[in-house]
């Protein structure tokens, strides 16, 4: 699938060999292929459309560097626009966890990687920032969900809230807050059950948890392989709970990660971390350049134009 | 007079022209069908109809029919064989719904009068065994386990011996989630298959790849690699109770022709439905009925 894209674009480059300024037609021809590349990378359709329109405007009339083709020049412009969109205003790795105990809420669809990411982040906070962290599972639905977080906590040496059977998520959250306050923790992390953004009962449940704890960070954990639905998921979670950032998991896959662009474009919320595996240290701070190169799958050309 | 005219609603017809086809194409892309397949489907539906005036309902129906036509040949329930135990290996990327689907399948087969045994082949993920044990209890089916970190292939082998000794009809084997680009983990899976075949050269009789409907175009690469390295015999798509349409199944049917056995439509034990191409196509095109 990767080869196809390169082939397709190099076909375009062959056709566009005139030098000088980029004509509207040059840009249009190249952008048609870029649009397909974005869609194949799972960028949501409306986001891809807006993005292409913006680049079209920006690129038309731009001078072409002598040693590259117009097509290559367009790819570079697209790449830069991708980076610009993906880049937030602040340092993505810096969480707002002053005022101990700072609550952090982890939310998302089923199976996205919330529990794993909760533990990875706890480990990072403990080891990098020297924080005392308490983790609590509010997942009363999925079999052995609480046990899963407890096992991970033991693995990384981070405390988990003792499990009390029969408690509602809001009550567990209250208990976590109390224990975090009394126990002198810097941060308490609330791992929640996976839920569909259209499930009104469960969305209300997590909104209630947010109301009771006023999280300093509410992170939406999303599978990096997510397709067109990413926009809707991010919008709904943001509208109903209010998110402060996104974590993109499973970026150790060969997926292109177009969901990153979709979510960033529609919510304006920063992508903070990427998950790069199942191990507890497989978490990195989000780097816009890397994801941009991956979405486009044209890193080599970008480097070429940068050198020219 | 105006009101009278509004009261007898006229069916709006529009020409099936390029602009219309582009709109349809976008609807399909938004369902995760992928650009190539979306183009092919729209081209097929335009054939012999281009320029004709059709109502929105008619267009949707034609489109749904076209999609159902592609899916019809792959819509097949999981085949049952007289072999005891029939070994069903369940594979897929992380978090796609393998364990949950095994719980649902166990319950369905049990209700159909089969004796079922489950093997907890995910010896890697935290509390994976505990999760499957709960599903075993819910389904009323025994779960064979091995300690965390032990070799899943030898557990599979032991489970076959046990299932055989007990005369079970079906042995469902769960596996740890793995990304298809992880060579080491895919090799581990090939090894599980090899070891199973030592016991019964025809097993696993079914290797089910569980796909998450939320996944976009990467599903194509998942099917390609898992089929190559684990001889996948059929697909299950989960999480179709969400808003993701799962359009990539159309591309998959077109490219690989693997049977689609069932779909997951929720987290409860009964939330596993047979794959119905017409219903799927109607949901994808937005025909509510
Ligand atoms: N390869 C890979 N696997 C991951 C990553 N993050 C999580 N996983 C795996 O994805 C699967 C699901 O992760 P969980 O943390 O249980 O996901 P969850 O969102 O808590 O799931 P629910 O609580 O059921 O909604 C597990 O097999 C994890 O090991 C990642 O970055 N890369
Ligand atoms: N809404 C919905 N959720 C589902 C469906 N199937 C599974 N899930 C949920 O998805 C999450 C992951 O399911 P699992 O069965 O643990 O997935 P898995 O493939 O075994 O995950 P790993 O073993 O970690 O790779 C859980 O929260 C399930 O409840 C479905 O059809 N619909
Ligand atoms: Mg979880
Ligand atoms: Mg599992």
């Amino acid at each position: 699938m990767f080869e196809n894209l390169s082939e397709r674009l190099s076909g375009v480059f062959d056709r566009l060999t005139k030098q000088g300024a980029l004509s509207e037609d040059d840009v249009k021809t190249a952008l048609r292929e870029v649009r397909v590349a974005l869609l194949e990378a799972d960028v949501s359709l409306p986001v891809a459309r807006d993005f292409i329109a913006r680049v079209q405007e920006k690129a038309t009339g731009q001078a072409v560097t002598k040693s590259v083709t117009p097509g290559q020049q367009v790819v570079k412009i697209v790449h830069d626009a991708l980076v610009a969109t993906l880049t937030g205003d602040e340092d993505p790795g810096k969480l707002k966890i002053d005022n101990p105990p700072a609550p952090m809420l982890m939310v998302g669809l089923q199976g996205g990687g919330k529990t794993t990411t909760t533990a990875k982040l706890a480990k990072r906070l403990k080891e990098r920032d020297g924080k005392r962290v308490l983790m609590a599972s509010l997942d009363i639905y999925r079999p052995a969900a609480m046990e899963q977080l407890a096992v991970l906590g033991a693995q990384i040496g981070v405390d988990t809230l003792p499990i009390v059977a029969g408690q509602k998520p809001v009550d567990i959250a209250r208990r976590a807050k109390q224990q975090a306050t009394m126990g002198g923790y810097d941060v308490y992390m609330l791992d929640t059950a996976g839920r569909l953004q259209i499930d009104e009962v469960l969305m209300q449940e997590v909104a209630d948890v947010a109301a009771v704890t006023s999280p300093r960070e509410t992170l939406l954990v999303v599978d990096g392989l997510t397709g067109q639905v990413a926009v809707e998921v991010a919008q709904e979670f943001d509208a109903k709970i209010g998110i402060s950032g996104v974590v993109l998991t499973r970026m150790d896959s060969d997926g292109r990660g177009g969901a990153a662009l979709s979510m960033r474009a529609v919510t304006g919320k920063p992508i903070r971390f990427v998950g790069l595996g199942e191990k507890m240290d497989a978490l990195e701070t989000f780097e816009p350049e890397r994801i941009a190169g991956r979405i486009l799958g044209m890193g080599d050309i970008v480097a070429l134009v940068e050198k020219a | 007079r105006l009101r009278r005219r509004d009261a007898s609603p006229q069916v709006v017809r529009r020409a099936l022209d390029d602009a219309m086809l582009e709109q349809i194409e976008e609807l399909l892309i938004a369902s995760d069908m992928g650009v190539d397949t979306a183009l092919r489907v729209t081209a097929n539906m335009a054939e012999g109809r281009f320029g004709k005036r059709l109502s929105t309902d008619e267009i949707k129906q034609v489109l749904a029919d076209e999609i159902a036509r592609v899916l019809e040949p792959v819509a097949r329930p999981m085949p049952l064989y007289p072999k005891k135990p029939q070994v069903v290996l369940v594979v897929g990327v992380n978090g796609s719904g393998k364990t949950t689907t095994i719980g649902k399948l166990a319950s369905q087969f049990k209700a159909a009068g089969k004796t079922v045994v489950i093997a907890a082949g995910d010896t890697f993920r935290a509390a994976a065994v505990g999760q499957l044990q709960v599903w075993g209890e819910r389904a009323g089916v025994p779960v064979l386990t091995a300690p965390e970190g032990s070799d899943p292939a030898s557990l599979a082998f032991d489970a076959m011996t046990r299932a055989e000794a007990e005369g079970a009809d079906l042995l469902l084997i769960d596996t740890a989630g793995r990304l298809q680009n992880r060579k080491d983990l895919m090799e581990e899976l090939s090894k599980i298959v090899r070891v199973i075949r030592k016991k019964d050269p025809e097993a696993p009789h079914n290797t089910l790849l569980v796909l998450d409907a939320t996944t976009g175009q990467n599903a194509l690469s998942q099917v390609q690699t898992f089929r190559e390295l684990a001889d996948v015999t059929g697909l299950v798509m989960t999480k179709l109770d969400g808003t993701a349409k799962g359009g990539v199944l159309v591309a998959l049917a077109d490219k690989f022709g693997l049977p689609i056995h069932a779909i997951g439509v929720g987290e409860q034990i009964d939330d596993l439905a047979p794959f119905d191409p017409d219903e799927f196509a109607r949901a994808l095109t937005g025909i509510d009925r």
Side-chain angles (χ1 to χ4, degrees):
Chain A
M1 270 162 272
F2 283 81
E3 294 75 21
N4 278 347
L5 169 66
S6 286
E7 276 163 21
R8 187 184 284 134
L9 278 168
S10 61
V12 176
F13 297 158
D14 294 344
R15 271 176 272 140
L16 307 180
T17 47
K18 305 191 301 291
Q19 300 292 319
L22 290 173
S23 77
E24 199 175 327
D25 274 353
D26 284 349
V27 175
K28 269 215 175 102
T29 316
L31 285 185
R32 244 197 307 276
E33 306 301 329
V34 171
R35 173 181 174 272
V36 174
L38 292 178
L39 293 173
E40 279 178 355
D42 291 323
V43 173
S44 297
L45 187 65
V47 173
R49 200 190 285 135
D50 284 2
F51 184 81
I52 293 291
R54 262 192 296 134
V55 175
Q56 168 85 48
E57 205 171 307
K58 198 180 282 171
T60 304
Q62 252 192 41
V64 180
T65 316
K66 278 271 172 310
S67 48
V68 300
T69 67
Q72 290 169 331
Q73 182 88 3
V74 173
V75 168
K76 169 76 169 106
I77 295 167
V78 171
H79 177 266
D80 290 349
L82 273 176
V83 173
T85 309
L86 288 168
T87 306
D89 305 329
E90 319 136 55
D91 174 2
K94 211 165 157 4
L95 294 164
K96 288 192 285 300
I97 41 167
D98 38 344
N99 292 354
M104 275 181 69
L105 183 61
M106 310 294 284
V107 299
L109 297 179
Q110 288 92 348
K114 295 171 295 300
T115 304
T116 309
T117 305
T118 301
K120 286 178 181 177
L121 263 176
K123 181 170 191 275
R124 177 183 162 117
L125 290 173
K126 175 189 157 199
E127 289 174 2
R128 277 213 197 180
D129 309 320
K131 301 283 184 194
R132 279 197 71 211
V133 184
L134 175 71
M135 302 191 293
S137 170
L138 275 49
D139 187 349
I140 57 172
Y141 308 104
R142 169 170 165 177
M146 295 187 164
E147 188 191 336
Q148 184 186 359
L149 190 68
V151 170
L152 294 175
Q155 259 174 38
I156 59 174
V158 167
D159 294 339
T160 46
L161 188 74
I163 298 169
V164 176
Q167 257 190 343
K168 292 225 150 51
V170 173
D171 296 321
I172 304 172
R174 281 205 187 91
R175 189 156 57 86
K177 182 179 181 177
Q178 195 181 25
Q179 170 130 347
T181 310
M182 292 192 323
Y185 289 92
D186 300 308
V187 180
Y188 66 101
M189 302 185 68
L190 305 174
D191 175 28
T192 62
R195 66 201 72 224
L196 297 173
Q197 82 281 5
I198 49 167
D199 186 328
E200 282 179 23
V201 174
L202 288 186
M203 289 304 280
Q204 186 56 49
E205 176 198 271
V206 73
D208 291 345
V209 168
V212 164
T213 53
S214 312
R216 296 289 286 142
E217 295 280 358
T218 299
L219 299 183
L220 177 66
V221 180
V222 183
D223 182 346
L225 303 176
T226 304
Q228 295 286 321
V229 84
V231 156
E232 208 179 322
V233 170
Q235 267 173 339
E236 288 298 303
F237 270 93
D238 194 28
K240 290 179 180 154
I241 315 166
I243 60 170
S244 62
V246 174
V247 182
L248 214 56
T249 63
R250 295 206 257 279
M251 290 305 281
D252 47 326
S253 67
D254 59 3
R256 303 288 279 276
L261 186 73
S262 305
M263 291 186 294
R264 169 80 190 146
V266 296
T267 64
K269 296 294 155 63
I271 299 171
R272 291 192 173 280
F273 301 100
V274 293
L276 290 166
E278 299 187 71
K279 302 255 168 66
M280 285 298 107
D281 49 10
L283 184 79
E284 285 181 12
T285 309
F286 175 69
E287 286 176 32
E289 288 273 351
R290 271 173 75 174
I291 305 286
R294 190 162 164 168
I295 291 176
L296 217 49
M298 300 291 294
D300 43 344
I301 286 171
V302 175
L304 181 90
V305 179
E306 265 161 8
K307 269 195 230 111
Chain B
R1 227 179 12 174
L2 273 172
R3 189 165 295 160
R4 271 263 295 274
R5 264 165 74 169
D6 279 350
S8 57
Q10 274 206 327
V11 179
V12 185
R13 286 174 189 281
R14 278 185 52 189
L16 189 64
D17 53 13
D18 281 327
M20 180 56 106
L21 287 174
E22 200 176 305
Q23 270 184 31
I24 296 168
E25 196 187 300
E26 297 203 330
L27 173 100
L28 298 180
I29 290 171
S31 83
D32 288 315
M33 193 176 287
V35 179
D36 284 353
T37 310
L39 281 170
R40 199 132 13 101
V41 169
T42 32
N44 284 351
M45 81 169 273
E47 217 178 285
R49 293 190 190 87
F50 193 80
K52 291 231 169 79
R53 298 184 69 78
L54 299 168
S55 72
T56 311
D57 284 349
E58 282 164 347
I59 289 174
K60 282 186 175 172
Q61 194 56 56
V62 172
L63 184 59
D65 290 347
E66 178 58 31
I67 292 167
R69 195 182 61 77
V70 180
L71 294 172
E72 209 77 61
V74 296
R76 270 177 275 150
M78 191 185 96
L80 289 171
Y81 304 104
K83 179 76 195 171
K84 274 188 183 197
Q86 174 172 343
V87 180
V88 183
L89 184 68
V90 179
V91 302
V93 300
N94 310 83
S96 62
K98 296 173 291 299
T99 305
T100 308
T101 301
I102 287 190
K104 295 172 180 176
L105 282 173
S107 162
Q108 284 197 357
F109 287 128
K110 179 137 193 270
K114 305 277 176 198
T115 50
V116 183
V117 173
I118 298 176
D122 182 354
T123 56
F124 176 76
R125 212 208 62 215
V129 173
Q131 182 188 2
L132 194 56
Q133 276 170 328
V134 173
W135 277 110
E137 273 162 41
R138 288 179 183 174
V141 159
V143 179
L144 308 179
T145 65
E148 203 177 300
S150 57
D151 178 23
S154 51
L155 170 74
F157 189 86
D158 293 347
M160 282 185 70
T161 314
R162 276 270 305 268
E164 208 172 30
E166 286 174 21
D169 296 314
L170 282 153
L171 170 63
L172 309 179
I173 305 178
D174 193 13
T175 60
R178 69 199 73 228
L179 293 173
Q180 74 277 16
N181 60 328
R182 280 289 300 271
K183 288 231 164 55
D184 51 341
L185 298 180
M186 293 309 287
E187 172 49 34
E188 180 192 83
L189 192 58
S190 304
K191 185 183 160 197
I192 296 175
V193 174
R194 279 200 304 275
V195 169
I196 289 174
R197 283 184 184 155
K198 274 191 197 153
K199 194 112 193 119
D200 178 352
E202 272 155 37
H205 305 87
N206 316 82
T207 299
L208 307 185
L209 175 63
V210 178
L211 300 169
D212 179 338
T214 334
T215 305
Q217 299 309 297
N218 193 253
L220 289 158
S221 141
Q222 291 175 19
V223 173
Q224 183 166 350
T225 311
F226 273 98
R227 195 181 63 149
E228 229 167 76
L229 298 175
D231 291 338
V232 170
T233 59
L235 309 175
V236 174
M237 179 168 267
T238 63
K239 308 185 195 177
L240 275 168
D241 49 324
T243 50
K245 297 278 204 294
V248 76
L249 275 184
V250 181
L252 291 171
D254 199 37
K255 276 209 171 68
F256 300 101
L258 281 170
I260 305 168
H261 296 320
I263 57 169
V265 291
E267 299 186 75
Q268 306 304 316
I269 200 158
D270 294 327
D271 292 333
L272 188 74
F275 178 66
D276 178 336
D278 284 316
E279 206 175 299
F280 182 87
R282 284 204 303 270
L284 195 152
T285 48
I287 304 177
D288 25 46
R289 222 189 298 156

